[in-house]
Amino acid sequence: MSTNKKPNILLVNDDGIAAPGLLALYNSLKDVADITIVAPDGEQSATGHSITLDSMLSVSEHYYNDKFFGIALKGTPADCVKFAISEIYKKPPDMVISGINLGSNTGYNVHYSGTVSAGAEGALMGIPSVAISITTYVDANFKPAGQFIKSAINKIYSKGLPLGTMLNVNVPNVKNSSEIKGIKITEQGQTRWKEIFYKRKDPKNRTYYWMTGEKMIFKESDLKDESAVNDNYISITPIQLDMTDYKNIETIKNLNLTKK
C-alpha cells in the first residue's frame, strides 16, 4: 500500500471523549494522519467487548477550545467503533487506534479492557487496529506513548497487520523519554486483579458493595508484557481474535464428549 497520502485513522478510547489521553493521542497524530474521533461520552473502563442493545445510543458534538473535536456517543468503546464505521465513514478507515488509556492493559486484564476491545472491534472488521495504554492513573507523561504511535503508524499503514490480529501496546510512565530502554514484542502474561469488595450502607441503611482490587503480579519471563513494562520497555503484544485453544484440541477429544 502506498504511503504517499496520510492514513485515515479512527481514534476511540474507554476513558471518555474528554480524557487527556485521547487529546494527547490526537495531538501526536494530527499532523501525520486524517483523524476522526468517536468516543464514549463518559467513563467506560472495564466494559470489555460489550455492545448496547437495550437503550438508545445518543450522540453529541464535543468541542475543545471552541473547536470541533469529535463525536461523543452514549455507549461502549465497541459501540463507538461500530457506529463510526457504519454511520460516519463511507469506506472503512485505514486504522483504528484506541487510547491513550490511563492504566496498563497487560496479562489477563485485556479480557476486561474497553480500550483493547475497541481495537478488537476494528480488527474484527478487518481494519489494522492498535490499543495503547500507559502504566499509571496519575501524573501521566503521554509523550513517549505519543512518540511511539506516531512512528508506528506508517509502518502499520504500509505493511498492514495479519487479519484477525491487533496490537496491544503498553508504555511505561516515565518522566523523560530517555528512560525508555527500548521496544519489545511480548507475550500476554498472567497478571490479573484480585477483587476486593467494600461493604457499605446507603442513607436508607441498605447494604451495597463497592468493588475495587489490587494487581497480582507474577514473576514471569522478560518476554511477558507486564515484565517488559516494569523494566521500562514499551511492550507490543499481538492479540489474536480466534480464541480456539488449538494446542489442547486433542486433549478435549480424549474426553470422549462426542460419544453418547
Side-chain angles (χ1 to χ4, degrees):
M1 182 184 293
S2 171
T3 57
N4 292 330
K5 69 181 185 72
K6 292 181 179 180
N8 197 323
I9 299 179
L10 170 65
L11 301 187
V12 64
N13 72 351
D14 74 355
D15 288 330
I17 197 163
L22 183 61
L23 178 61
L25 181 61
Y26 168 76
N27 285 332
S28 298
L29 300 179
K30 64 181 180 181
D31 295 330
V32 295
D34 293 323
I35 301 295
T36 299
I37 296 173
V38 179
D41 64 353
E43 180 77 39
Q44 288 286 328
S45 295
T47 54
H49 209 129
S50 63
I51 57 175
T52 303
L53 298 176
D54 59 356
S55 60
M56 66 180 186
L57 296 171
S58 60
V59 298
S60 60
E61 294 183 350
H62 182 80
Y63 289 80
Y64 179 76
N65 285 343
D66 296 323
K67 292 183 179 180
F68 175 74
F69 184 69
I71 296 293
L73 184 76
K74 192 173 186 60
T76 68
D79 287 332
C80 291
V81 177
K82 286 181 178 292
F83 173 81
I85 293 172
S86 297
E87 297 296 318
I88 294 178
Y89 284 99
K90 292 182 179 179
K91 63 176 184 178
D94 298 308
M95 234 177 292
V96 173
I97 301 179
S98 180
I100 301 169
N101 186 67
L102 283 173
S104 62
N105 281 301
T106 54
Y108 293 148
N109 300 320
V110 300
H111 295 284
Y112 302 100
S113 169
T115 303
V116 174
S117 293
E121 184 62 39
L124 280 171
M125 295 184 176
I127 302 167
S129 299
V130 180
I132 183 165
S133 306
I134 187 170
T135 60
T136 188
Y137 294 99
V138 295
D139 299 326
N141 176 14
F142 295 109
K143 187 174 180 180
Q147 290 172 332
F148 166 79
I149 199 65
K150 184 176 182 179
S151 68
I153 60 168
N154 276 337
K155 298 173 186 177
I156 297 171
Y157 180 46
S158 62
K159 297 183 179 180
L161 292 174
L163 191 64
T165 296
M166 61 163 289
L167 301 182
N168 182 34
V169 179
N170 285 276
V171 182
N173 187 46
V174 293
K175 290 184 178 180
N176 299 300
S177 298
S178 60
E179 296 177 55
I180 300 288
K181 292 181 179 178
I183 303 169
K184 286 186 177 183
I185 307 301
T186 56
E187 302 169 359
Q188 181 183 339
Q190 297 183 22
T191 301
R192 59 182 181 269
W193 287 80
K194 179 181 178 182
E195 285 74 27
I196 300 171
F197 290 87
Y198 289 107
K199 186 176 181 179
R200 297 175 178 175
K201 295 286 187 178
D202 71 9
K204 294 185 177 181
N205 204 37
R206 295 172 299 192
T207 300
Y208 72 95
Y209 292 85
W210 193 279
M211 186 178 73
T212 182
E214 57 185 29
K215 184 181 283 189
M216 299 174 65
I217 300 175
F218 302 90
K219 185 173 179 57
E220 297 180 304
S221 101
D222 57 7
L223 294 177
K224 300 297 184 180
D225 49 12
E226 182 75 18
S227 297
V229 292
N230 285 341
D231 198 24
N232 274 8
Y233 284 90
I234 294 175
S235 162
I236 306 174
T237 308
I239 300 291
Q240 64 178 12
L241 305 185
D242 180 353
M243 298 174 70
T244 306
D245 185 2
Y246 291 101
K247 68 180 181 180
N248 282 315
I249 283 181
E250 291 304 317
T251 300
I252 302 305
K253 286 181 178 179
N254 289 334
L255 294 177
N256 293 321
L257 297 174
T258 60
K259 295 182 179 180
K260 293 183 180 180

